[in-house]
Amino acid sequence: MAGQILATTLARAKTFAKRHRIAIFMTALLMFLLGVAYAIHEAAIDPADIDPGPFFGIMLILSPLTVLLSALQLRYAAEALGQIMPLPSALTVTAVAMASNMLPLPGAYLVRTRALAPNMTGTDIKRAAAINLLAAKQWVALSVLVFAVVLTGLLPGWITVPALVGGIAVLGLNAVLWRKSGFPVRCFGTTLAIQAAMISVETARIAFAFAALGATLGIRQAFALSIAAVVGSLAGMVPGGLGVRELSAAGIALLIAIDPEIAFAATALNRIAGLVVLAIATGAITWRAARRKSCA
């Protein structure tokens, strides 16, 4: 009964998101822009004082590394399904999936599932959806676990202990489900290692964004703020988690003695650098596809 209610609720949410996608996008964009303006004003940030070095570090090194790691995760998911997906193909699918997240739907999940089910049979779609869901839950659980570990001693035990236990429990359950679904356990370990690297890269991106604003940030605080990316990705109805990630970072900042306005502005700067890279990547993919079509 509960499962049926949940399924019905999700279906209605998706229908609502599709019907009102423009209004949702404009609301999220407005919230994001107002938040950026407020953060800049409250933190007395002069755009002219932003250090371009760390910003270009995010844009030219760390953002492409995020895309590469996500593509590797997709490649090993394909391997777990008994498929061979060349890295260039995985990179293309990943870039398109990330761009599709700007829709008020779980676009990345749908694009990756389609890529992992080339024959579009019922069995293929079911297995592709299953491995994508397992990978998503694994990433969330690992992020929560890292959050709990780095904040042990900084936050009360009633926050960190349940997060620690929950993260370990979900990862353990995920390993069991991975094996029960017939996916190679070695691919589970490889995926887990890639996701740990993704969290580390996101942490570095946050630290670089703070540096670009002339603010200092401890390593534990940077890891804590990295969970804002998870919160933003879970807001499926909001395009790309626009504004949600930044507000989450501001909320987490209050817990770890950081100026929330700076956290919001730094997270927004990190997003902007990523969007520039994504725009270039999707533009290149579109140009290449158009060129192939014209030559055919």
Side-chain angles (χ1 to χ4, degrees):
M1 183 65 179
Q4 185 178 359
I5 293 174
L6 178 59
T8 302
T9 302
L10 289 174
R12 289 177 178 174
K14 288 182 179 180
T15 301
F16 178 85
K18 187 175 182 179
R19 184 179 302 168
H20 302 284
R21 58 186 180 276
I22 296 177
I24 292 173
F25 176 76
M26 294 305 297
T27 301
L29 180 61
L30 179 62
M31 182 174 67
F32 174 74
L33 294 176
L34 287 175
V36 170
Y38 177 80
I40 290 175
H41 178 268
E42 289 298 310
I45 298 171
D46 184 351
D49 293 335
I50 295 177
D51 187 348
F55 177 78
F56 282 113
I58 299 173
M59 192 172 69
L60 300 178
I61 300 174
L62 297 176
S63 290
L65 190 53
T66 298
V67 177
L68 174 61
L69 289 170
S70 185
L72 286 174
Q73 178 179 305
L74 179 65
R75 187 173 181 272
Y76 279 102
E79 183 178 319
L81 292 169
Q83 304 170 16
I84 297 176
M85 181 180 291
L87 185 57
S89 299
L91 285 167
T92 299
V93 172
T94 298
V96 173
M98 288 180 169
S100 69
N101 262 350
M102 293 310 294
L103 298 171
L105 291 168
Y109 178 82
L110 296 176
V111 170
R112 290 189 178 100
T113 298
R114 173 65 182 85
L116 292 173
N119 297 324
M120 291 301 288
T121 64
T123 301
D124 284 348
I125 294 174
K126 184 177 180 180
R127 284 174 58 79
I131 199 166
N132 275 327
L133 184 58
L134 285 173
K137 290 193 298 182
Q138 185 173 302
W139 177 55
V140 173
L142 184 60
S143 298
V144 170
L145 182 59
V146 169
F147 180 83
V149 170
V150 299
L151 290 184
T152 298
L154 295 179
L155 291 182
W158 61 268
I159 296 178
T160 56
V161 172
L164 190 66
V165 173
I168 293 173
V170 173
L171 284 178
L173 178 61
N174 231 44
V176 173
L177 291 175
W178 193 284
R179 185 179 183 86
K180 189 176 180 180
S181 299
F183 304 132
V185 177
R186 61 182 174 80
C187 290
F188 166 80
T190 303
T191 301
L192 193 64
I194 292 172
Q195 289 173 335
M198 291 171 68
I199 293 172
S200 298
V201 170
E202 179 63 23
T203 300
R205 289 177 61 167
I206 292 168
F208 273 54
F210 268 77
L213 296 176
T216 57
L217 186 68
I219 185 65
R220 296 175 72 184
Q221 294 169 319
F223 268 107
L225 288 173
S226 69
I227 201 173
V230 177
V231 177
S233 69
L234 294 177
M237 286 183 63
V238 180
L242 196 62
V244 177
R245 181 189 300 182
E246 291 75 17
L247 286 172
S248 300
I252 294 170
L254 292 172
L255 300 175
I256 54 178
I258 293 177
D259 188 338
E261 288 82 12
I262 292 290
F264 190 106
T267 307
L269 194 66
N270 180 24
R271 178 192 290 277
I272 291 168
L275 287 177
V276 170
V277 172
L278 188 59
I280 293 172
T282 52
I285 291 169
T286 303
W287 175 80
R288 185 180 180 186
R291 188 180 180 187
R292 283 183 173 181
K293 186 175 181 180
S294 64
C295 294

